[in-house]
Amino acid sequence: MADPMRIRAQAAGDKTTVRVLMSHEMETGQRKDSAGKTIPAWFIQEVSATHNGKPVLSAQWGPAVSKNPFLQFTIKGAKAGDKVAVTWVDNRGDKRTDEATVS
């Protein structure tokens, strides 16, 4: 399983900024190893986020996203103590979910 995501959610007025750093190799399937063999594609395909269990973000990604991707988005109406969860699923079926508390 992949390393945990680093999630920060900071409220400012009625808006909360969520910053997520995901740990993932994100191979495109076009690079070659030292022996000249193509490295198989391995990348995050789906990203979703919830605020207190309610969906607030859904995204489809592809192989063009960089290694260890960074994602930032804003939620309206979140307040300190609320929970924000982020989930990703890659093309191999691996899945990771992590949660943060809004501060």
Side-chain angles (χ1 to χ4, degrees), residues 3-69:
D3 292 334
M5 288 180 265
R6 294 178 61 191
I7 305 173
R8 289 218 166 84
Q10 296 177 316
D14 69 335
K15 294 182 182 177
T16 298
T17 301
V18 181
R19 294 177 178 92
V20 185
L21 183 60
M22 303 173 199
S23 178
H24 198 284
E25 290 298 314
M26 302 295 284
E27 284 294 341
T28 64
Q30 297 178 354
R31 287 188 332 125
K32 296 183 191 279
D33 62 14
S34 58
K37 293 184 179 179
T38 303
I39 299 170
W42 181 36
F43 55 89
I44 295 173
Q45 286 187 310
E46 298 175 26
V47 179
S48 60
T50 60
H51 167 234
N52 289 336
K54 177 184 157 195
V56 292
L57 173 88
S58 179
Q60 300 288 319
W61 284 3
V65 177
S66 69
K67 177 179 177 179
N68 299 325

